[in-house]
Amino acid sequence: MKRVVVGYDGSDTARAALQWGITLAAERGLPLYIAVAWTLPPMEIGGGDQPMLDPTVVTSTQQFGQELLSEALRQADDAGVPATGTVEGDAPAHVLVEASKGSEYLVVGSRGHGTFTALLLGSVSREVAAHAHCTTAIVRPTADPEARDYVVGTDGSEESLKAWHFAAAEADRHSRPLRVLHTWDIPP
């Protein structure tokens, strides 16, 4: 299915990714699919040898996810972009990688509501960048979205050349600079 998938958790970076995804979907004439995913650690309630999830926490988290999805769908609707979405109680990276199958683009924020706030790239964005089945954009919020630079990593593979072409076209379309990065590991 040709579509733009956006991972959304309500964080500032997810909001920037949602706006970027809405713009991309509008420019490409594609529908938007918004994925809200969450996991909770098991909590011990009432003893026993197996921890289990507190049903009230699960219900409130599911309701909060539905509120986030509704907010994101409203933004897409306000922009005139057709959108659908899902709220899933599963690992966000897994949900997004699965949603990327058959999609044109996957857009995520550089980091979400995880614990390590100083990281430049969160675990979900790192995971989807490595395993997504389509072109993936990782968006960082900026004070001025029009001043955004584009960065693409390349290793010479067919997949990285596709990413390079996409990034070059986006940078050109928005008259923004493109930085191309190539890194490697030196064996011990």
Side-chain angles (χ1 to χ4, degrees):
M1 162 182 275
K2 303 288 184 186
R3 64 185 181 180
V4 175
V5 176
V6 175
Y8 190 69
D9 67 3
S11 65
D12 288 344
T13 58
R15 290 177 196 284
L18 177 62
Q19 288 308 307
W20 207 85
I22 289 171
T23 300
L24 182 64
E27 289 175 351
R28 300 285 202 269
L30 295 169
L32 190 66
Y33 183 78
I34 302 162
V36 177
W38 51 273
T39 54
L40 294 173
M43 296 173 246
E44 291 203 36
I45 54 172
D49 60 353
Q50 293 295 318
M52 55 189 295
L53 291 177
D54 179 344
T56 59
V57 173
V58 173
T59 300
S60 64
T61 303
Q62 182 75 17
Q63 288 172 342
F64 180 66
Q66 289 294 342
E67 291 169 13
L68 287 173
L69 179 59
S70 294
E71 168 191 312
L73 290 171
R74 270 192 305 279
Q75 289 182 46
D77 186 57
D78 290 348
V81 173
T84 57
T86 187
V87 176
E88 296 190 32
D90 196 356
H94 177 259
V95 170
L96 293 167
V97 168
E98 286 300 308
S100 75
K101 292 179 179 174
S103 298
E104 283 290 304
Y105 306 102
L106 171 61
V107 183
V108 295
S110 58
R111 53 174 338 286
H113 283 302
T115 307
F116 301 104
T117 57
L119 292 177
L120 294 177
L121 192 63
S123 59
V124 172
S125 54
R126 218 175 46 246
E127 185 80 12
V128 299
H131 299 288
H133 300 276
C134 62
T135 299
T136 302
I138 300 173
V139 179
R140 293 185 60 164
T142 63
D144 179 7
E146 297 302 314
R148 186 180 316 271
D149 288 352
Y150 290 80
V151 179
V152 64
T154 181
D155 62 6
S157 67
E158 184 177 331
E159 291 82 14
S160 74
L161 292 176
K162 288 179 190 175
W164 183 87
H165 285 288
F166 170 75
E170 285 299 301
D172 185 52
R173 178 189 338 270
H174 298 281
S175 300
R176 300 303 312 148
L178 172 64
R179 289 186 283 161
V180 180
L181 303 176
H182 178 79
T183 64
W184 59 93
D185 289 327
I186 299 174

